[in-house]
Amino acid sequence: MAATQSLSQPDPDRPSEEKPAESDNMEERDTAPLGHPRDNTGQSEAFGSPGDRAVYPPNIYAPQAQAFYCRDMEVAQCYLDGNADAVEFCTHEPYHNVLAAATYTLQEGDRPSRTGSISLFDVNPDMGRFELFYRVETVGIFDIKWSPVVGNVGPMLAQADADGYLRVHGLECCSNGGDSLSLKEIVGKKISSSMCLCVDWNPSTTSISVGLSDGSVSVVSFLESQLNVIQEWKAHDFELWAASFDIHQPQLVYTGSDDCKFSCWDLRDGPFNLVFQNSKVHKMGVCCIAKSPRDPNILLTGSYDEHLRLWDVRSISKPVNETSVCLGGGVWRVKYHPYVPGVVLAACMHNGFAIVKIDEEKGEVMETYTKHGSLAYGADWQRGNLSHKVKQNSSVVATCSFYDRLLQIWIPESSVVKQL
């Protein structure tokens, strides 16, 4: 497999804690991303506290976004202040132009630490604008997620930290007036001595699931601006990279781990009610899980084994298509298109990014994007429709890659993403 072969030679630039995971059921595995948590550097050490973080004007401490144009596809780019691992467009009106980008950087030495940041960008293709307008320093971040749109609740950004904290920020107008926006931390809570690796909101924004580096999953209530761990259990043997609510049945949580297992849990009857567990199909660790927003029976899993798999939750013993879709790199993140049915954007680690069309029985790669020079980790679609000023009936995508710290904004050329 391409990803495994590309890791067969030592990489002098790879942090020492990013090393192959060990397993009893396979001879070799892909290297885990983001500085593998299974190390000897002291997971329980906290590298920051809620009050320690600095906020800097972007024009002083962070590189500025620079837009340029390539053929008929508008592209903008900038380099972030640290290793880039997550990008998320805001899901709320009228803030679809707001893009959050997160970083995680391992500082090696006698006392290794993990540092990070969140940067906010104004992405407006109609006006040709791509501007960094806010940045805050944090500890190393593994995952961020904007809250779903519910009633009159404003946009909130959940953050999974390397120091074991879950933090929730609100998107607010700056205190000095005007139209400028910033993030204000609503609440932060240390939920584990292990690292928080992934985060997801339930559809009503009343609870948050968090995957931990010791293989546990936490379900944390978020009520009246307070975080409280209401359930936590040992779900897997190794790092838990995916912990996602079922958007149609929010009492269910799906988990995926470095132990190659894909599981579902029912929260109604206690933390140990295992609905199903598949340990035979994924040949390497499970990196991401995405439920179809339109079909309550369909979900996708991505794995280090380079395959994107389509599942029917009514028959979980095997994928819908046994061959699934090989994307040529570990499938780290998958995002369904917000409007076009059956279209997903995948971050494929060593093989860039792919747009895949999923139908009832199979998937087909419609377009690839390989203008990143490092591990492809972060990917998201921008909500909202574009006007004819940019490219009629098109979608806008944000992607980021790890070691080269590159954030790209681009417009797919495939007709499969054309709005009808």
Side-chain angles (χ1 to χ4, degrees):
M1 290 178 291
T4 302
Q5 293 170 354
S6 66
L7 292 168
S8 60
Q9 300 298 323
D11 183 351
D13 295 327
R14 181 170 289 113
S16 62
E17 66 171 1
E18 183 174 334
K19 57 181 181 288
E22 297 178 357
S23 175
D24 295 331
N25 62 348
M26 64 188 68
E27 295 182 359
E28 63 177 346
R29 295 165 59 94
D30 205 342
T31 299
L34 306 182
H36 202 292
R38 196 183 307 127
D39 58 25
N40 297 316
T41 57
Q43 291 185 24
S44 62
E45 180 180 0
F47 300 107
S49 62
D52 285 342
R53 296 171 301 152
V55 179
Y56 297 121
N59 61 331
I60 298 178
Y61 290 95
Q64 293 298 290
Q66 296 181 358
F68 63 91
Y69 297 88
C70 177
R71 297 178 183 174
D72 62 344
M73 180 173 60
E74 183 187 29
V75 178
Q77 72 167 7
C78 76
Y79 292 90
L80 300 178
D81 57 291
N83 297 334
D85 59 3
V87 290
E88 294 279 326
F89 275 108
C90 186
T91 53
H92 294 246
E93 288 277 12
Y95 305 112
H96 289 162
N97 61 303
V98 175
L99 174 69
T103 66
Y104 168 100
T105 303
L106 173 67
Q107 307 288 343
E108 298 187 89
D110 295 336
R111 291 180 57 83
S113 63
R114 301 167 182 85
T115 61
S117 65
I118 298 176
S119 299
L120 297 183
F121 294 85
D122 179 4
V123 181
N124 191 323
D126 283 350
M127 301 182 66
R129 188 165 65 239
F130 176 48
E131 297 176 354
L132 172 67
F133 65 86
Y134 177 84
R135 175 177 171 263
V136 59
E137 284 192 343
T138 69
V139 297
I141 295 175
F142 284 98
D143 196 15
I144 53 175
K145 193 68 62 66
W146 288 104
S147 59
V149 178
V150 179
N152 295 323
V153 180
M156 295 176 291
L157 186 69
Q159 167 189 333
D161 279 349
D163 66 355
Y165 272 82
L166 170 64
R167 307 181 194 273
V168 178
H169 309 267
L171 184 65
E172 299 183 353
C173 292
C174 292
S175 57
N176 57 4
D179 297 329
S180 57
L181 298 170
S182 66
L183 287 176
K184 179 180 180 181
E185 185 171 311
I186 298 172
V187 62
K189 184 178 180 68
K190 187 174 180 66
I191 63 171
S192 177
S193 59
S194 298
M195 300 181 190
C196 296
L197 302 182
C198 59
V199 62
D200 190 38
W201 293 85
N202 77 345
S204 63
T205 71
T206 56
S207 62
I208 301 169
S209 60
V210 183
L212 303 174
S213 60
D214 67 355
S216 298
V217 57
S218 289
V219 178
V220 184
S221 68
F222 179 66
L223 298 170
E224 298 180 349
S225 300
Q226 297 294 319
L227 294 173
N228 291 291
V229 178
I230 54 177
Q231 296 187 50
E232 183 173 313
W233 67 98
K234 182 75 170 180
H236 292 270
D237 299 325
F238 299 135
E239 287 79 1
L240 200 153
W241 294 112
S244 302
F245 282 99
D246 187 313
I247 57 178
H248 302 101
Q249 302 180 78
Q251 75 276 10
L252 301 179
V253 171
Y254 302 100
T255 57
S257 166
D258 257 5
D259 62 10
C260 308
K261 296 176 182 178
F262 162 46
S263 307
C264 178
W265 311 84
D266 193 326
L267 304 180
R268 293 173 296 184
D269 301 321
F272 302 107
N273 184 9
L274 181 62
V275 178
F276 67 76
Q277 185 172 86
N278 187 300
S279 59
K280 298 180 180 180
V281 171
H282 299 95
K283 306 306 180 184
M284 293 182 178
V286 180
C287 305
C288 59
I289 300 169
K291 186 75 184 291
S292 169
R294 291 175 173 83
D295 189 334
N297 299 315
I298 297 299
L299 61 75
L300 301 172
T301 60
S303 170
Y304 288 128
D305 66 14
E306 304 182 356
H307 283 78
L308 178 68
R309 291 180 172 88
L310 175 67
W311 301 82
D312 188 323
V313 296
R314 296 168 297 184
S315 178
I316 210 68
S317 61
K318 61 182 180 179
V320 173
N321 184 342
E322 279 293 329
T323 59
S324 61
V325 187
C326 182
L327 297 183
V331 185
W332 178 251
R333 198 172 300 277
V334 174
K335 296 290 184 67
Y336 272 94
H337 195 285
Y339 309 119
V340 184
V343 173
V344 298
L345 172 67
C348 307
M349 297 183 70
H350 294 276
N351 198 36
F353 298 87
I355 294 174
V356 183
K357 174 64 176 176
I358 303 290
D359 62 22
E360 294 181 355
E361 296 183 355
K362 65 179 182 178
E364 180 182 1
V365 177
M366 306 302 296
E367 183 174 347
T368 58
Y369 187 81
T370 57
K371 295 184 179 180
H372 289 264
S374 181
L375 291 171
Y377 277 156
D380 199 15
W381 306 93
Q382 187 175 36
R383 280 72 177 167
N385 295 317
L386 295 179
S387 77
H388 64 279
K389 296 178 182 178
V390 178
K391 190 175 181 182
Q392 189 172 3
N393 298 327
S394 295
S395 300
V396 174
V397 167
T399 51
C400 71
S401 44
F402 196 65
Y403 292 113
D404 60 2
R405 305 183 174 192
L406 180 60
L407 169 65
Q408 294 266 29
I409 309 296
W410 51 282
I411 296 175
E413 296 180 317
S414 172
S415 61
V416 75
V417 298
K418 295 298 178 71
Q419 308 283 335
L420 300 177

